[in-house]
């Protein structure tokens, strides 16, 4: 079972599914979640790489980046590491006024300088976050509150594509069957349309990834221990209900310049956050208006433009 306190044994109640799904946001006053997603929408230049490397070397002590301008993964990593810097810049908190901390499970949180805050306000000023990158998408999810609550957050993204390129959808899903339960395989294969099956598979993988990151589990976690019955909106771990969790599910679509072509990419995205309620909740964001209330989208140009201000 996840190390997030006692897990109630009651099964989450039935909620609307399919076409009946409606946007159901968190109650007012609860810990608000904010997500940043950065599109690597074009190739980077050597000068941009060097500027990002200098910022990470100066401001990000917890992760060492190997300098290699030809390695695009190091550039993706640096852009991801810079997202907390950008977030704190937007909150108008100088870099010298906050520290990036880590729990024994590898969960990161930001502690601001107390600077006249009352003890209670300071206790609720901690920012838990998780960041990652995949393909052309760099993501960070954050929430502010008491440390022991806000660190239980994670994001998962899965690009909707087969691997390796040219593999059939059926062969690809079968190759990943060890990460799925029989029930999940049945849900994925309910439809004969390859595009639908692939999206369902990627959504389930993103759900598992977000949950595992939220609990701070090390790499190598057996995904088959988790089961996400998305149509019924039920989550299980080791055959027990995963109660108290909020799962936010959405799609991100990118248009990426690759030399002289525009390549369209799609990602299934999930935020997992432990709220400690008596059941778990799945929130599907199908409307751009609802999504834009808490997800902020930027690109390489917008990040590069603010680099000189990130150390201030």
């Amino acid at each position: 079972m996840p190390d997030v306190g006692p897990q109630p044994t009651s099964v989450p109640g039935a909620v609307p599914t399919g076409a009946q799904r409606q946007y159901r946001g968190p109650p007012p006053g609860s810990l608000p979640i904010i997500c940043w997603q950065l599109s690597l929408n074009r190739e980077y230049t050597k000068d941009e790489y060097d500027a990002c490397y200098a910022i990470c070397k100066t401001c990000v002590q917890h992760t060492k980046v190997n300098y290699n301008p030809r390695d695009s993964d190091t550039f993706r990593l640096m852009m991801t590491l810079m997202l907390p810097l950008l977030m704190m810049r937007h909150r108008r908190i100088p870099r010298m006024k906050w520290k990036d901390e880590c729990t024994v499970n590898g969960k990161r949180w930001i502690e601001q300088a107390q600077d006249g805050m009352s003890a209670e306000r300071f206790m609720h000023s901690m920012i838990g976050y998780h960041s990652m990158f995949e393909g052309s998408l760099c993501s960070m999810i954050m929430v502010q509150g008491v440390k022991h609550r806000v660190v239980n957050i994670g994001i998962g993204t899965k690009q909707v594509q087969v691997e390796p390129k040219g593999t059939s959808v059926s062969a690809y899903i079968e190759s990943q069957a060890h990460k799925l339960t029989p029930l999940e395989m049945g849900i994925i294969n309910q439809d004969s349309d390859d595009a639908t099956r692939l999206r369902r598979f990627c959504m389930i993988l993103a759900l598992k990834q977000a949950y595992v990151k939220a609990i701070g589990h090390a790499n190598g976690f057996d995904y088959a221990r988790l089961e996400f019955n998305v149509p019924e909106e039920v989550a299980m771990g080791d055959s027990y209900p995963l109660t108290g969790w909020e799962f936010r599910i959405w799609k991100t679509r990118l248009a990426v310049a690759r030399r002289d072509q525009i390549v369209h990419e799609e990602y299934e995205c999930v935020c997992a956050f432990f709220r400690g309620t008596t059941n778990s909740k799945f929130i599907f964001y199908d409307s751009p208006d609802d999504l834009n209330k808490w997800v902020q989208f930027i690109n390489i140009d917008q990040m590069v433009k603010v680099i000189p201000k990130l150390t201030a």
Side-chain angles (χ1 to χ4, degrees):
M1 295 295 292
D3 185 19
V4 290
Q7 287 287 323
T9 56
S10 58
V11 178
V15 291
T17 59
Q20 296 175 304
R21 288 176 182 152
Q22 297 178 349
Y23 166 70
R24 306 183 306 281
S30 60
L31 300 169
I33 295 171
I34 296 177
C35 179
W36 292 73
Q37 291 198 304
L38 183 149
S39 167
L40 299 171
N41 58 308
R42 60 167 175 79
E43 303 293 339
Y44 57 88
T45 67
K46 171 72 162 45
D47 288 343
E48 290 169 343
Y49 186 100
D50 288 343
C52 293
Y53 183 79
I55 286 289
C56 290
K57 188 174 182 179
T58 302
C59 298
V60 183
Q61 286 77 37
H62 59 80
T63 302
K64 177 177 173 58
V65 180
N66 293 321
Y67 181 82
N68 186 354
R70 294 186 177 183
D71 182 359
S72 59
D73 274 350
T74 61
F75 184 75
R76 293 182 178 98
L77 174 60
M78 290 190 296
M79 286 301 232
T80 304
L81 292 172
M82 289 162 58
L83 286 174
L85 302 176
L86 180 63
M87 183 250 313
M88 297 303 285
R89 170 70 186 176
H90 273 248
R91 298 167 74 90
R92 302 183 185 279
I93 301 175
R95 181 63 186 90
M96 66 177 63
K97 295 289 187 179
W98 58 273
K99 298 184 297 181
D100 197 317
E101 304 283 9
C102 186
T103 70
V104 294
N105 291 334
K107 299 309 306 294
R108 307 215 67 86
W109 91 91
I110 290 172
E111 179 181 304
Q112 305 174 46
Q114 190 163 357
D115 278 359
M117 284 190 281
S118 67
E120 182 177 2
R121 184 181 174 191
F122 176 66
M123 183 175 66
H124 287 83
S125 70
M126 307 302 165
I127 298 173
Y129 77 92
H130 173 237
S131 60
M132 66 165 295
F133 67 88
E134 179 176 0
S136 306
L137 184 64
C138 304
S139 304
M140 183 190 74
I141 198 81
M142 60 79 63
V143 63
Q144 180 173 327
V146 181
K147 175 197 150 187
H148 75 269
R149 294 194 64 189
V150 299
V151 293
N152 295 314
I153 194 165
I155 189 167
T157 62
K158 180 64 178 172
Q159 187 172 357
V160 183
Q161 66 173 10
V162 297
E163 299 177 79
K165 187 176 180 180
T167 304
S168 70
V169 170
S170 294
Y172 175 54
I173 293 175
E174 187 63 32
S175 72
Q176 302 295 307
H178 60 285
K179 301 177 182 178
L180 305 168
T181 68
L183 183 142
E184 290 168 338
M185 284 291 286
I187 292 171
I188 291 169
N189 291 322
Q190 280 179 352
D191 199 297
S192 60
D193 177 63
D194 279 350
T196 301
R197 293 167 62 218
L198 185 57
R199 282 195 299 270
R200 287 174 179 169
F201 167 77
C202 292
M203 181 186 295
I204 290 173
L205 262 289
L207 278 160
K208 296 189 178 192
Q209 183 182 51
Y211 173 80
V212 169
K213 295 303 181 182
I215 64 175
H217 209 288
N219 293 334
F221 186 91
D222 182 6
Y223 277 11
R225 293 173 57 190
L226 304 174
E227 182 173 87
F228 285 90
N229 185 339
V230 177
E232 297 297 327
E233 302 187 11
V234 174
M236 305 287 286
D238 292 334
S239 300
Y240 290 92
L242 298 177
T243 54
W245 288 88
E246 177 180 287
F247 299 102
R248 300 187 178 193
I249 303 168
W250 73 99
K251 292 179 176 60
T252 294
R253 296 181 175 89
L254 306 180
V256 181
R258 294 283 183 258
R259 295 177 182 170
D260 58 347
Q261 293 185 338
I262 299 296
V263 178
H264 295 276
E265 299 177 356
E266 181 177 323
Y267 297 80
E268 290 287 345
C269 306
V270 175
C271 164
F273 180 52
F274 185 73
R275 291 194 179 274
T277 52
T278 56
N279 61 358
S280 284
K281 187 176 186 181
F282 288 65
I283 306 174
F284 298 86
Y285 289 85
D286 299 318
S287 163
D289 290 339
D290 290 329
L291 190 61
N292 289 335
K293 291 176 182 177
W294 65 282
V295 180
Q296 302 188 43
F297 298 98
I298 61 173
N299 58 31
I300 290 179
D301 298 297
Q302 290 167 299
M303 177 65 92
V304 169
K305 185 177 180 180
V306 299
I307 282 179
K309 303 176 181 179
L310 295 182
T311 57

